Amino acid sequence: MKRFVIEENVFEMFPNLEIGVLSFKNVDNSGTGKADMLESVCKSLCERLASGDEAEGYIKEYSLAMKKFKTKKGAKASIDAMASRIAKGHILGTINPLVDIYNVICLKNLVTCGGEDLDKIEGDMVLCFAKGDEEFIPLGKEQNKPPKEDELIYRDDKGAVVRGWLWREADRTKITENTKNALLYMELIDENRKEEFKKIVSELEELVLQELGGQCKATIIDKNNPVCEIG
């Protein structure tokens, strides 16, 4: 049985970290993406960023987190990178239905989320500090770009799955239109949003099931419960 694990020393850096872990089985990720949903949420976020509401503060929380550990110079949290483009009037392009859906929920609620093809994860999915020799082929690339020593990464038995914690995903485990079983994981570091976070995780689960079918097992893990099964 595969597991999702947060190593103990990660909580020394981020004591309030919570991760919503969603394991989906038998989804139908074929067909066109969710362009209309993406366009709507991008326009809404652009307006929010211009108006100066709490959106900027939520994004800054993740930006500051990225400065706490070693990673590539200029690396940004995924939500920060997307919001920077959207603030300039850009609309995110569609990738595939499942990726589009989790991006929509991220942008609406301003939390980070990653996604992998669960069948391509080898062994456990672990959030930990890198040794520096883990294999990592970035999304859309072919050359190995291993993480720095002590960089915060997600890894499995084969190598790094995400570098820089919230930054760049591996090509090896990416979600495609052929993905049937998927792992989505949503991160929260703001202890003041814990109750809201439960609703966001549920919102993501419900939207995926509504649009793509299948079944889901959703769990929120933290320092008191740092491990869950993912299939």
Side-chain angles (χ1 to χ4, degrees):
M1 181 66 71
K2 296 177 182 179
R3 304 179 304 159
F4 195 109
V5 181
I6 307 174
E7 291 197 341
E8 185 176 356
N9 55 359
V10 174
F11 294 109
E12 295 173 10
M13 184 172 288
F14 299 107
N16 298 311
L17 173 65
E18 293 188 352
I19 300 181
V21 182
L22 302 96
S23 302
F24 290 93
K25 296 294 183 69
N26 303 312
V27 296
D28 180 3
N29 199 37
S30 60
T32 58
K34 304 296 179 181
D36 290 346
M37 286 186 186
L38 280 171
E39 181 176 0
S40 177
V41 77
C42 287
K43 288 181 177 178
S44 176
L45 180 55
C46 186
E47 292 172 359
R48 291 181 66 187
L49 292 169
S51 70
D53 74 359
E54 73 277 8
E56 189 171 335
Y58 291 160
I59 295 166
K60 186 177 181 180
E61 191 85 21
Y62 291 104
S63 301
L64 293 174
M66 292 288 288
K67 299 181 186 299
K68 293 188 176 184
F69 56 87
K70 295 179 182 178
T71 189
K72 185 175 179 180
K73 184 177 181 180
K76 285 186 173 184
S78 56
I79 191 66
D80 188 8
M82 289 191 292
S84 296
R85 293 181 60 206
I86 290 166
K88 298 174 183 176
H90 293 285
I91 303 296
L92 294 188
T94 180
I95 298 173
N96 58 58
L98 184 52
V99 174
D100 290 354
I101 288 169
Y102 79 66
N103 278 336
V104 165
I105 297 300
C106 287
L107 294 170
K108 176 184 175 183
N109 297 287
L110 297 173
V111 294
T112 55
C113 185
E116 316 300 334
D117 187 314
L118 186 54
D119 295 330
K120 295 176 183 176
I121 297 292
E122 299 194 14
D124 293 342
M125 177 80 158
V126 183
L127 180 61
C128 61
F129 292 100
K131 295 179 181 178
D133 60 357
E134 294 86 353
E135 179 183 270
F136 181 78
I137 312 291
L139 193 64
K141 306 294 183 181
E142 297 180 355
Q143 186 177 357
N144 183 29
K145 297 286 187 180
K148 297 176 180 291
E149 185 178 0
D150 293 328
E151 182 174 340
L152 191 55
I153 63 168
Y154 285 104
R155 64 153 178 86
D156 65 1
D157 288 352
K158 188 170 182 179
V161 176
V162 185
R163 272 194 63 185
W165 183 24
L166 310 171
W167 174 48
R168 180 163 292 178
E169 296 195 35
D171 195 77
R172 171 172 60 89
T173 57
K174 67 184 177 186
I175 291 172
T176 72
E177 66 276 5
N178 296 316
T179 295
K180 299 297 181 186
N181 304 312
L183 171 67
L184 303 186
Y185 45 99
M186 184 176 286
E187 300 111 337
L188 181 78
I189 49 178
D190 184 351
E191 62 179 333
N192 297 314
R193 301 182 72 192
K194 287 189 175 185
E195 288 305 312
E196 179 190 359
F197 188 58
K198 294 176 184 177
K199 296 177 182 177
I200 298 170
V201 172
S202 294
E203 182 181 11
L204 177 58
E205 176 183 1
E206 290 168 8
L207 187 57
V208 172
L209 296 178
Q210 173 188 308
E211 295 291 327
L212 307 181
Q215 303 84 40
C216 179
K217 180 180 179 181
T219 309
I220 295 177
I221 59 176
D222 58 19
K223 63 183 176 182
N224 296 316
N225 298 286
V227 181
C228 68
E229 293 182 352
I230 56 174

